Amino acid sequence: MSLSSVQSTLSTLKSCQADIGACMDMVSDVALGIVEAQGDPALKKLEEMILECSRLDREINYFVESVDEKTAQVRREPPEAMFHLRNSVKERFTELTAGVTDADLQRHSKVVAFRDSVRKYAMQAGQTAAENEEELDEDIAVTQIHICSGVFVKMVNPVKNKKCVHHYDQEAVLEMIKAKHKNKKKFRCPKVGCGNADVQRSDLELDLLMKRMIQNHKRQSGKT
């Protein structure tokens, strides 16, 4: 086993981790559809699925941490230490995972977002039609989002800024942040009057509730 092969394996694992995150978003989206159809029993199964994804995500994090820690240690030791790398990583990984509790899995950001989205969507479904329409109109009003001078785009995958709570289209805002950072500038929240002068990629989270509302609005309006 060489250190280069170890790093290659870690890179593959991190790619799998991104897939796990996407899967968790899909489970949350399906859950909103179930809430809409009032299929409460199925929600329990989806919650079990997203908790299992949370466990896998945490195990990958711990495995990567174990490998990073032990490979750094091996680099400082004689070459024959490589022969013990597999066992030392396994031991460290076992130590880290032994302390994982159900409460830890429940605190995963996507598990929290799953429950929050389901709760909010259930509340929305319980509103009267008039209240729903009024709230929907307010939300749809921000789906035409101002990105920069004279440029407006329609939100497809809405993300919410955790700091100022404003929404943007995911693809558009990430491109703008990338362009600004390339020129060594900060990206200011495009919402008129917002004081957030430095929007970071890490500030953004996918808003599945808003996405669902936009999709429903399009269907009701006969749009594609």
Side-chain angles (χ1 to χ4, degrees):
M1 179 189 295
S2 66
L3 290 180
S4 61
S5 66
V6 170
Q7 292 305 315
S8 176
T9 301
L10 286 187
S11 178
T12 302
L13 270 178
K14 289 175 182 177
S15 176
C16 290
Q17 199 168 21
D19 291 337
I20 290 172
C23 177
M24 295 174 87
D25 288 337
M26 288 174 61
V27 170
S28 295
D29 192 41
V30 171
L32 296 185
I34 290 174
V35 171
E36 200 170 43
Q38 298 183 335
D40 292 345
L43 283 176
K44 182 64 178 175
K45 290 292 184 183
L46 289 178
E47 186 167 343
E48 290 172 1
M49 286 176 61
I50 206 163
L51 284 171
E52 178 63 14
C53 287
S54 171
R55 183 187 65 78
L56 288 172
D57 187 60
R58 183 171 287 269
E59 286 184 354
I60 290 176
N61 282 334
Y62 280 154
F63 184 75
V64 170
E65 181 180 337
S66 302
V67 172
D68 284 344
E69 180 182 320
K70 294 305 177 180
T71 51
Q73 184 177 322
V74 161
R75 286 190 176 97
R76 298 190 298 268
E77 296 178 352
E80 55 267 24
M82 276 294 298
F83 294 111
H84 306 292
L85 180 60
R86 183 190 297 272
N87 287 336
S88 60
V89 167
K90 184 177 179 180
E91 289 172 5
R92 181 57 179 151
F93 175 73
T94 301
E95 288 176 9
L96 291 172
T97 54
V100 177
T101 65
D102 286 344
D104 293 326
L105 302 182
Q106 307 273 2
R107 284 192 289 268
H108 191 290
S109 61
K110 288 190 181 291
V111 174
V112 173
F114 168 86
R115 289 181 171 153
D116 191 47
S117 295
V118 168
R119 178 182 60 80
K120 288 180 179 178
Y121 204 69
M123 288 174 60
Q124 180 203 29
Q127 292 176 335
T128 65
E131 289 173 328
N132 240 341
E133 187 63 31
E134 182 180 351
E135 182 177 333
L136 184 60
D137 285 343
E138 291 176 359
D139 285 320
I140 295 303
V142 299
T143 63
Q144 291 278 359
I145 189 71
H146 182 226
I147 292 296
C148 63
S149 180
V151 178
F152 291 80
V153 297
K154 197 170 191 66
M155 272 200 280
V156 177
N157 289 312
V159 290
K160 181 172 70 175
N161 190 316
K162 291 180 284 188
K163 291 183 178 178
C164 61
V165 204
H166 292 133
H167 288 84
Y168 326 108
D169 176 74
Q170 185 180 48
E171 182 179 356
V173 74
L174 291 180
E175 282 297 320
M176 290 303 300
I177 291 174
K178 182 180 177 181
K180 288 288 186 180
H181 286 182
K182 186 176 181 180
N183 293 318
K184 302 188 184 305
K185 295 181 180 179
K186 296 178 179 179
F187 178 64
R188 174 182 288 275
C189 175
K191 181 72 173 179
V192 177
C194 181
N196 188 353
D198 187 15
V199 178
Q200 297 288 330
R201 186 188 184 106
S202 58
D203 299 336
L204 309 176
E205 60 182 4
L206 190 63
D207 191 331
L208 293 172
L209 180 60
M210 171 68 88
K211 182 175 181 178
R212 192 80 185 181
M213 292 175 71
I214 292 172
Q215 291 170 341
N216 287 345
H217 180 74
K218 285 181 178 179
R219 282 196 294 269
Q220 292 165 9
S221 304
K223 298 176 181 178
T224 56

